[in-house]
Amino acid sequence: MESNQKHNWKTILHEVIYEADTPSGKLFDILLLVFIILSIVLVMLESVVSIDREYHELLYIGEWVVTILFSIEYILRIISVKKPFKYIFSPFGIIDFLSTIPMYLSFFIVGSQALVTLRALRLLRVFRILKLARYLGASNQLKDSIIASRVKIMVFLFAVMISSVIFGTIMYLVEGEANGFDNIPKSVYWCVVTLTTVGFGDIAPQTALGQLITTFIMILGYGIIAVPTGIVSAEYVRTSQKADKENEALAQNNDNKMVEHQNDNITIHLNSQHCANCNVSNHRDNSDFCYNCGHPLHH
Amino acid sequence: MESNQKHNWKTILHEVIYEADTPSGKLFDILLLVFIILSIVLVMLESVVSIDREYHELLYIGEWVVTILFSIEYILRIISVKKPFKYIFSPFGIIDFLSTIPMYLSFFIVGSQALVTLRALRLLRVFRILKLARYLGASNQLKDSIIASRVKIMVFLFAVMISSVIFGTIMYLVEGEANGFDNIPKSVYWCVVTLTTVGFGDIAPQTALGQLITTFIMILGYGIIAVPTGIVSAEYVRTSQKADKENEALAQNNDNKMVEHQNDNITIHLNSQHCANCNVSNHRDNSDFCYNCGHPLHH
Amino acid sequence: MESNQKHNWKTILHEVIYEADTPSGKLFDILLLVFIILSIVLVMLESVVSIDREYHELLYIGEWVVTILFSIEYILRIISVKKPFKYIFSPFGIIDFLSTIPMYLSFFIVGSQALVTLRALRLLRVFRILKLARYLGASNQLKDSIIASRVKIMVFLFAVMISSVIFGTIMYLVEGEANGFDNIPKSVYWCVVTLTTVGFGDIAPQTALGQLITTFIMILGYGIIAVPTGIVSAEYVRTSQKADKENEALAQNNDNKMVEHQNDNITIHLNSQHCANCNVSNHRDNSDFCYNCGHPLHH
Amino acid sequence: MESNQKHNWKTILHEVIYEADTPSGKLFDILLLVFIILSIVLVMLESVVSIDREYHELLYIGEWVVTILFSIEYILRIISVKKPFKYIFSPFGIIDFLSTIPMYLSFFIVGSQALVTLRALRLLRVFRILKLARYLGASNQLKDSIIASRVKIMVFLFAVMISSVIFGTIMYLVEGEANGFDNIPKSVYWCVVTLTTVGFGDIAPQTALGQLITTFIMILGYGIIAVPTGIVSAEYVRTSQKADKENEALAQNNDNKMVEHQNDNITIHLNSQHCANCNVSNHRDNSDFCYNCGHPLHH
């Protein structure tokens, strides 16, 4: 009986923490979002010397408040899942751990010299921003486009790499150390800066021949920029046409109202629910059982 | 009788000011356009020290001429609409007010110190440029494309934001204050500069590791730039194909000449007329009544 | 009899100069291309102080050789056309004149002070490059795409203009003269530099607020860059799909070999022949008469 | 008998070196890839003064190890092909030779002065990176897209060239040597830097008129960037739609499983096998004879 009650308590907790379909679950997610952004702003402000000098106390307290809240969240997450190790070693589990631990470490690793390194560890908490990725469910189409054009993107990156190494070496020979092209790796770096049309200008060709080659590199870069854009565009056009066709096909069997509804289902047919047993998410909206382990889902 | 005459006078005024279909309405619009551009040029020239020193008197008179004309226009707009408060608190109403008021304020807020702040207030008149947006009726397709890809654009902005914060923090740790990466917010700013391929070069990585990470950021930025372009391209392709299909469908029922005519109707089927009652615009070309309030429209 | 002979002589001359279909016409065009490029290279080399000092004599002689050859070409062009004034006041006629005249002017306008202005006049010869546009017959599709998306491009340029003026003014207020934002026009210029992702870096925001606004401008620019690309992409997709469909339609009536031939005709169905009477070009390959004036065409 | 054995030995060697379908062939390719990358890293590290000073001995030994291995590979490649001269004068043969020879040349060309030039020769080994192009078989679609839009790309490059020369000359006249626009070639270089949105900022307009013209150039460049992207996008959309249609056509005759298999065949229907007789590669997967010379292929 007590075990059952405990189970119920854990089930409710699971729903609040891992799902965004209930009012309390939504509230939890919004609060979490606010605290993540707050904690990132805190880390940023601390790095500004003038602000840190004046409000050091306040920022330090803020840091501890955020750290303690994140620790509680981390523990609750572990408690409410049936298979805690699966969560702990999942990418989100590792991020949650890494964004909480640095403040505690500052107790154990004491010493004036170590403090500098500690700052770096504390900055890891900026990875909290990755927690925001939880809200990126809508990016599935984007991910699909990228996966579909994986090979093409690899070929493109390869082309950029090869061009950069060859032109970087040529520019090193042409311009030399006197004009800022100190060594080949730096020349290759400059070449990527130019090919991607970033053009910092901290290093720039000074000789006539160097400028001629640069002209060629820039026009090449102009052409290369077209490739990833073309790939993604084509992929998007394809995806949206596929969706349009599916809707048209549906439209021939149903009335228009129905189709619009089904269209919504096609594009956003997954919800944010996590299985209480295996913690897998992205279930179809009407599922009664987890598609992964068959455990019943709570609506 | 007099009320009716007054009503007629207001109706004509409304047509001249809010519509661009009658010759006098067109003339009013062109004159307004000329004065808006003139007033912006005046504000710009005033900010150039050497020009302001020489032609201060002339610029000051010009400012007052423009301000008085805009004031008259603002008052006439309020008079000629049936529901003046709807206009006053509409975006265009607020812009019209903000672009007129600063010159008058310079009388009430006097004092040598206040003059500096006043300059800022006066510069608000540059918002007159937003009046030009009135002429942007043709941008509906653009707006539709943007609205249709709203979610994707949000996801994309999110990706840029997260990448910038993470890489900005890493670059702050790697390069440090010695190389211009003074604090994390500045590092994040530099990261956006690099990701968007702007590359000012006021801050640039100096260490080998920093340059390696920058190479990675730039190639990532190169890939990211493909995303909004791909989204908009796909959306445009979709829109234009839809329009083409509609025309094809029409072509099967009518002769070609007719279709071309209807095609024109489909793409530019809205006119610049504003309802005299509720001030709503973008009516279909042949409408006799306002689609919003049912008030009759004057042709 | 003599008049007829003279007419024949002019007809042959017309064919050599204005058409690229006969061997002699092709040779003339290639020679012209070589001399245009040579003359541009001459103007460029003259502007390099070190080269001009050493080879001044040679460059001067080269200039005169090119100028005399272009003069002869100009006179022959006038002689061989039936309606010379139509040629003289056509864009190409004006370009041909402007690229020839500066060297002669250097005789009439003598004087030590005038020499500086003369240099400018002589540099006008760089407009010879526009002669190269003759060879751009293949750019018709490009031109069509641009014309088709005329309105959208205007709207886009408008958006860039308005954004630049507003953000330029804001940045002028935020950064001020101390940080290089001397006046509003310069601020607007900087804003265009940033929005277009060029980013020279000669002016860059120094204050935290300025950098925050810049971040926003850059991401906006990133989005804006998607618009012209999307427009042109959509237009290209549309054009190529139309061409594909036309070929498919043809394929259902003919065998494949035939279709491929007709496909070639569709894409490159115009030749470089100019009418001897009215000087109009871009005739269909098999035309026997000018489509403009009905004058017979020589094959 | 011995000749036959020798023939067999050569056949096996040919298969290992030129093909990636057998396990030993795959291993050879991976080892080659590792050594190519290693050798490029060596050349790069040598160019860094601080690293070269400390590890000169190690880098020198590494260089020789790589050179000897590449020499052996080069000799084996010549031996195992029936027509060695065809390989030697093929692009890959020349690259293989050029990436091996510089180290040997350092013996014959001795002398303190010659050492500087030698360094340049040795750097040619960076061309080893082109060997990586062997692995770019997947880039066929990319190549097809580029070839299909050849004319359009030429027109586009032409437009960039003409614009750069004209605006470069204008900027030279407007800004002059005082503001860094030393001569026309440098001005043209700056113009390409601006048009391609690279914007180094080493040269930047200082006069108001120059900045106005620059604003125009940048917006033009913004428009021009749309052209190559549009071309490639349209070409990609076309290619992917063609592939989709082919699959649909197949799907009507076969079951789905079959189609997916055939789809794979369509996109990657060529293998890495090289003909033992004429060294031609890219054979269809099921070929029994070389499509070029009719020699039997070994599976």
Side-chain angles (χ1 to χ4, degrees):
Chain A
M1 218 49 177
E2 208 215 353
S3 154
N4 195 28
Q5 211 175 4
K6 197 193 159 195
H7 179 78
N8 278 345
W9 173 76
K10 275 174 77 174
T11 309
I12 291 160
L13 196 69
H14 181 94
E15 224 173 288
V16 169
I17 293 175
Y18 287 99
E19 287 161 40
D21 301 325
T22 58
S24 53
K26 232 168 216 161
L27 185 72
F28 178 85
D29 271 25
I30 289 164
L31 274 175
L32 188 60
L33 189 67
V34 168
F35 276 105
I36 291 167
I37 291 168
L38 186 78
S39 72
I40 293 162
V41 170
L42 278 174
V43 176
M44 282 188 168
L45 290 179
E46 259 176 277
S47 81
V48 184
V49 176
S50 61
I51 292 171
D52 189 52
R53 211 165 18 215
E54 203 145 334
Y55 304 101
H56 186 74
E57 290 284 296
L58 206 76
L59 291 170
Y60 192 73
I61 292 162
E63 275 288 349
W64 270 112
V65 169
V66 167
T67 301
I68 287 159
L69 283 171
F70 280 3
S71 306
I72 293 166
E73 182 222 343
Y74 184 65
I75 290 158
L76 289 179
R77 273 187 195 278
I78 291 169
I79 290 170
S80 65
V81 196
K82 277 205 179 149
K83 297 178 179 170
F85 285 100
K86 208 167 173 179
Y87 163 70
I88 291 168
F89 296 107
S90 73
F92 277 127
I94 292 164
I95 289 164
D96 288 351
F97 181 76
L98 284 176
S99 63
T100 316
I101 201 72
M103 279 301 277
Y104 297 110
L105 277 178
S106 65
F107 281 126
F108 300 101
I109 309 163
V110 198
S112 55
Q113 292 96 333
L115 277 168
V116 183
T117 359
L118 249 163
R119 269 189 77 196
L121 275 170
R122 285 171 63 194
L123 281 163
L124 280 172
R125 270 166 303 144
V126 98
F127 281 104
R128 287 165 192 165
I129 209 172
L130 282 175
K131 283 192 170 187
L132 289 170
R134 274 187 212 278
Y135 301 90
L136 280 176
S139 70
N140 278 333
Q141 203 194 340
L142 188 66
K143 222 171 68 187
D144 289 354
S145 291
I146 289 165
I147 289 168
S149 31
R150 201 170 4 109
V151 179
K152 289 176 201 166
I153 288 169
M154 289 298 290
V155 170
F156 158 72
L157 287 179
F158 215 74
V160 171
M161 224 177 72
I162 291 182
S163 309
S164 298
V165 171
I166 291 176
F167 284 113
T169 308
I170 291 171
M171 287 303 284
Y172 168 64
L173 291 173
V174 167
E175 291 281 330
E177 288 173 48
N179 294 324
F181 294 78
D182 294 348
N183 48 55
I184 297 179
K186 202 171 182 179
S187 260
V188 170
Y189 155 74
W190 172 86
C191 206
V192 175
V193 168
T194 306
L195 266 178
T196 54
T197 76
V198 171
F200 284 126
D202 53 337
I203 313 163
Q206 302 300 326
T207 65
L209 183 60
Q211 290 176 346
L212 189 71
I213 296 165
T214 306
T215 302
F216 184 74
I217 295 171
M218 287 182 296
I219 288 172
L220 187 77
Y222 215 55
I224 288 176
I225 216 169
V227 176
T229 313
I231 293 166
V232 177
S233 294
E235 218 47 64
Y236 265 119
V237 169
R238 206 180 172 177
T239 318
S240 67
Q241 278 177 347
K242 216 184 254 171
D244 284 2
K245 260 186 200 163
E246 278 174 31
N247 292 346
E248 263 176 51
L250 282 168
Q252 291 177 337
N253 298 321
N254 302 288
D255 60 298
N256 267 17
K257 204 104 189 202
M258 183 69 192
V259 172
E260 268 179 31
H261 184 68
Q262 283 181 316
N263 180 12
D264 286 344
N265 275 1
I266 288 161
T267 49
I268 48 161
H269 57 301
L270 303 174
N271 62 23
S272 71
Q273 214 173 352
H274 286 247
C275 174
N277 187 43
C278 69
N279 209 26
V280 151
S281 71
N282 288 331
H283 297 281
R284 289 184 154 269
D285 248 0
N286 315 324
S287 316
D288 288 315
F289 298 95
C290 172
Y291 69 85
N292 190 39
C293 69
H295 197 82
L297 299 169
H298 300 272
H299 293 294
Chain B
M1 216 53 177
E2 209 214 350
S3 155
N4 193 29
Q5 213 174 1
K6 197 192 158 194
H7 179 77
N8 277 345
W9 173 76
K10 275 175 76 175
T11 309
I12 290 161
L13 196 69
H14 181 93
E15 223 173 290
V16 170
I17 293 175
Y18 287 98
E19 287 159 43
D21 301 326
T22 58
S24 54
K26 232 168 215 161
L27 185 71
F28 177 84
D29 272 25
I30 290 165
L31 274 175
L32 189 61
L33 188 67
V34 168
F35 275 106
I36 291 167
I37 291 170
L38 186 79
S39 72
I40 293 161
V41 170
L42 278 174
V43 176
M44 283 188 167
L45 291 179
E46 259 176 279
S47 80
V48 183
V49 176
S50 61
I51 292 171
D52 190 51
R53 212 168 13 218
E54 203 146 336
Y55 305 100
H56 186 75
E57 291 285 294
L58 206 76
L59 291 169
Y60 191 73
I61 292 163
E63 275 288 350
W64 270 112
V65 170
V66 167
T67 300
I68 288 160
L69 284 171
F70 280 4
S71 306
I72 293 166
E73 182 222 343
Y74 185 65
I75 291 159
L76 289 180
R77 273 186 196 278
I78 290 170
I79 290 170
S80 66
V81 195
K82 276 202 182 152
K83 296 177 178 171
F85 284 100
K86 206 166 176 180
Y87 161 72
I88 290 168
F89 297 108
S90 72
F92 277 126
I94 293 164
I95 288 164
D96 289 351
F97 181 76
L98 284 176
S99 63
T100 315
I101 201 72
M103 279 302 276
Y104 297 111
L105 278 178
S106 66
F107 281 125
F108 300 102
I109 309 163
V110 199
S112 55
Q113 293 94 334
L115 277 167
V116 183
T117 357
L118 248 164
R119 268 190 77 197
L121 276 169
R122 283 171 65 193
L123 282 164
L124 280 171
R125 271 165 301 144
V126 98
F127 280 104
R128 288 163 191 165
I129 209 172
L130 281 175
K131 284 194 169 185
L132 289 171
R134 273 188 212 281
Y135 301 90
L136 281 176
S139 70
N140 278 332
Q141 204 194 339
L142 188 66
K143 223 171 68 188
D144 290 354
S145 290
I146 289 166
I147 289 167
S149 31
R150 202 169 4 108
V151 180
K152 289 176 199 164
I153 287 170
M154 289 298 290
V155 170
F156 157 73
L157 286 178
F158 214 74
V160 170
M161 224 177 72
I162 292 180
S163 310
S164 298
V165 171
I166 291 175
F167 285 113
T169 308
I170 291 171
M171 286 303 286
Y172 168 65
L173 292 172
V174 168
E175 292 281 330
E177 288 173 48
N179 295 323
F181 293 78
D182 294 347
N183 47 55
I184 297 179
K186 201 171 183 179
S187 260
V188 170
Y189 155 74
W190 172 86
C191 206
V192 175
V193 168
T194 307
L195 265 178
T196 54
T197 76
V198 172
F200 284 126
D202 53 338
I203 313 162
Q206 302 299 325
T207 65
L209 183 60
Q211 291 176 345
L212 189 70
I213 296 165
T214 305
T215 301
F216 183 73
I217 295 171
M218 287 182 295
I219 288 172
L220 187 77
Y222 215 56
I224 288 176
I225 216 170
V227 176
T229 313
I231 293 167
V232 177
S233 293
E235 218 46 65
Y236 265 119
V237 170
R238 205 180 174 176
T239 318
S240 66
Q241 278 177 347
K242 215 184 256 172
D244 284 2
K245 260 186 201 163
E246 279 173 32
N247 292 345
E248 263 175 50
L250 283 168
Q252 291 176 338
N253 299 322
N254 303 287
D255 58 299
N256 267 16
K257 204 105 191 203
M258 184 68 193
V259 172
E260 270 180 27
H261 185 69
Q262 283 181 316
N263 180 12
D264 286 343
N265 276 1
I266 289 162
T267 49
I268 48 161
H269 58 302
L270 304 174
N271 62 24
S272 71
Q273 214 173 351
H274 286 246
C275 174
N277 187 42
C278 68
N279 210 26
V280 151
S281 70
N282 288 333
H283 297 280
R284 289 185 153 267
D285 247 0
N286 315 323
S287 315
D288 288 314
F289 298 95
C290 173
Y291 70 86
N292 190 38
C293 68
H295 197 84
L297 299 170
H298 300 271
H299 295 293
Chain C
M1 219 46 177
E2 209 215 351
S3 154
N4 194 29
Q5 213 176 359
K6 198 192 159 195
H7 179 77
N8 277 346
W9 173 77
K10 276 174 75 175
T11 310
I12 290 161
L13 195 69
H14 181 93
E15 223 173 288
V16 170
I17 294 174
Y18 286 99
E19 287 161 41
D21 302 325
T22 57
S24 53
K26 232 168 217 160
L27 184 73
F28 178 84
D29 271 24
I30 290 166
L31 275 175
L32 189 61
L33 189 67
V34 168
F35 276 105
I36 291 166
I37 292 169
L38 185 79
S39 72
I40 293 161
V41 170
L42 278 173
V43 176
M44 283 187 167
L45 291 180
E46 260 175 279
S47 80
V48 183
V49 175
S50 62
I51 292 172
D52 189 51
R53 213 169 13 219
E54 203 146 336
Y55 305 100
H56 186 75
E57 290 284 295
L58 206 76
L59 290 170
Y60 191 72
I61 293 163
E63 274 289 348
W64 270 112
V65 169
V66 166
T67 300
I68 288 161
L69 283 172
F70 279 3
S71 305
I72 293 166
E73 183 222 342
Y74 185 65
I75 291 160
L76 289 181
R77 272 187 196 277
I78 291 171
I79 290 172
S80 66
V81 195
K82 277 204 180 150
K83 296 176 180 173
F85 284 100
K86 206 166 175 180
Y87 161 71
I88 291 168
F89 296 107
S90 73
F92 277 128
I94 292 163
I95 289 164
D96 289 351
F97 181 76
L98 284 176
S99 62
T100 315
I101 202 70
M103 279 301 276
Y104 297 110
L105 278 178
S106 65
F107 281 126
F108 301 101
I109 309 163
V110 198
S112 55
Q113 294 93 333
L115 277 168
V116 182
T117 358
L118 250 163
R119 269 191 76 195
L121 276 169
R122 283 171 65 195
L123 281 164
L124 280 171
R125 271 163 302 143
V126 97
F127 280 104
R128 287 165 191 162
I129 209 172
L130 281 176
K131 283 192 169 187
L132 290 170
R134 274 186 212 283
Y135 302 90
L136 281 175
S139 69
N140 278 333
Q141 204 195 340
L142 187 67
K143 222 171 68 187
D144 290 354
S145 290
I146 290 166
I147 288 168
S149 32
R150 203 170 1 109
V151 180
K152 290 176 200 165
I153 288 171
M154 289 299 290
V155 170
F156 157 72
L157 286 179
F158 216 72
V160 171
M161 225 176 70
I162 291 180
S163 311
S164 298
V165 171
I166 291 175
F167 285 113
T169 307
I170 292 170
M171 286 303 285
Y172 168 65
L173 291 173
V174 168
E175 291 282 330
E177 288 173 48
N179 295 322
F181 294 78
D182 294 346
N183 47 56
I184 297 179
K186 201 170 183 179
S187 261
V188 171
Y189 155 74
W190 172 85
C191 205
V192 175
V193 168
T194 306
L195 266 178
T196 54
T197 76
V198 172
F200 285 126
D202 53 339
I203 312 162
Q206 302 300 325
T207 64
L209 183 58
Q211 290 176 346
L212 189 70
I213 296 165
T214 305
T215 301
F216 183 73
I217 296 172
M218 287 183 295
I219 288 171
L220 187 76
Y222 215 56
I224 288 177
I225 216 169
V227 176
T229 313
I231 293 167
V232 176
S233 294
E235 218 46 64
Y236 265 118
V237 170
R238 204 181 175 177
T239 318
S240 67
Q241 278 176 345
K242 215 183 257 172
D244 284 3
K245 259 187 202 164
E246 279 174 30
N247 293 345
E248 263 175 51
L250 283 167
Q252 292 178 335
N253 299 322
N254 302 287
D255 58 297
N256 267 16
K257 203 106 190 198
M258 183 69 192
V259 172
E260 270 180 29
H261 184 69
Q262 283 180 316
N263 181 11
D264 286 344
N265 276 0
I266 289 160
T267 49
I268 48 160
H269 56 302
L270 304 174
N271 61 24
S272 71
Q273 213 173 352
H274 285 246
C275 174
N277 186 43
C278 69
N279 210 29
V280 152
S281 70
N282 288 333
H283 298 281
R284 289 184 153 268
D285 248 0
N286 315 324
S287 316
D288 289 314
F289 298 95
C290 172
Y291 69 86
N292 189 39
C293 68
H295 198 83
L297 299 169
H298 300 271
H299 293 294
Chain D
M1 217 50 176
E2 208 215 353
S3 155
N4 194 29
Q5 211 174 2
K6 197 192 159 196
H7 178 77
N8 278 346
W9 173 75
K10 276 174 76 175
T11 309
I12 291 161
L13 195 69
H14 181 94
E15 224 172 289
V16 170
I17 294 175
Y18 286 100
E19 287 161 40
D21 301 326
T22 57
S24 53
K26 232 169 216 161
L27 184 72
F28 178 85
D29 271 24
I30 289 164
L31 274 175
L32 188 61
L33 189 67
V34 168
F35 276 106
I36 291 167
I37 291 168
L38 185 79
S39 72
I40 293 161
V41 170
L42 278 174
V43 176
M44 283 188 167
L45 292 179
E46 260 176 279
S47 81
V48 183
V49 175
S50 61
I51 292 171
D52 189 50
R53 213 165 18 215
E54 203 146 335
Y55 306 100
H56 186 75
E57 290 284 295
L58 206 76
L59 291 170
Y60 192 72
I61 292 162
E63 275 287 349
W64 270 111
V65 168
V66 166
T67 300
I68 287 160
L69 283 171
F70 280 3
S71 306
I72 293 165
E73 182 223 343
Y74 185 64
I75 291 159
L76 288 180
R77 272 189 195 277
I78 291 171
I79 290 171
S80 66
V81 195
K82 275 204 181 150
K83 295 177 179 170
F85 285 100
K86 206 166 175 179
Y87 162 70
I88 290 168
F89 296 108
S90 73
F92 277 127
I94 293 164
I95 289 165
D96 289 351
F97 181 77
L98 284 175
S99 62
T100 316
I101 201 72
M103 279 302 276
Y104 297 110
L105 277 178
S106 65
F107 282 126
F108 301 101
I109 310 164
V110 198
S112 55
Q113 293 95 334
L115 277 167
V116 182
T117 359
L118 250 164
R119 269 190 76 194
L121 276 170
R122 284 171 65 194
L123 282 163
L124 280 172
R125 270 163 305 141
V126 98
F127 280 104
R128 286 165 192 163
I129 208 172
L130 283 176
K131 282 191 170 188
L132 289 170
R134 274 187 212 280
Y135 301 90
L136 281 175
S139 69
N140 278 332
Q141 203 195 339
L142 188 66
K143 223 171 68 187
D144 289 355
S145 290
I146 290 165
I147 288 168
S149 31
R150 201 170 2 109
V151 179
K152 288 176 201 164
I153 288 170
M154 288 299 290
V155 170
F156 157 72
L157 286 179
F158 216 73
V160 171
M161 225 177 71
I162 291 181
S163 310
S164 298
V165 171
I166 291 175
F167 284 113
T169 308
I170 291 169
M171 287 303 285
Y172 168 65
L173 291 173
V174 168
E175 291 282 329
E177 288 173 48
N179 295 323
F181 294 78
D182 294 348
N183 47 55
I184 297 179
K186 202 170 182 179
S187 261
V188 171
Y189 155 73
W190 171 86
C191 205
V192 175
V193 168
T194 306
L195 266 178
T196 54
T197 76
V198 172
F200 285 126
D202 54 338
I203 313 162
Q206 301 300 326
T207 65
L209 183 60
Q211 289 175 346
L212 189 71
I213 296 166
T214 305
T215 302
F216 183 74
I217 295 171
M218 287 182 296
I219 288 171
L220 187 76
Y222 215 56
I224 288 177
I225 216 169
V227 176
T229 313
I231 293 167
V232 177
S233 294
E235 217 47 64
Y236 264 118
V237 170
R238 205 181 173 178
T239 318
S240 67
Q241 279 177 345
K242 215 184 256 172
D244 284 2
K245 260 186 201 163
E246 278 173 31
N247 293 346
E248 264 175 51
L250 283 168
Q252 292 178 335
N253 298 321
N254 302 287
D255 59 297
N256 266 16
K257 203 106 190 199
M258 183 72 192
V259 172
E260 269 179 30
H261 185 67
Q262 283 180 316
N263 181 11
D264 286 345
N265 275 0
I266 288 161
T267 49
I268 49 158
H269 57 301
L270 303 173
N271 62 24
S272 71
Q273 211 172 354
H274 285 245
C275 174
N277 186 43
C278 69
N279 209 27
V280 152
S281 70
N282 288 331
H283 298 281
R284 288 183 153 268
D285 248 359
N286 315 324
S287 315
D288 289 315
F289 297 96
C290 172
Y291 70 85
N292 189 38
C293 67
H295 197 83
L297 299 168
H298 299 271
H299 293 295

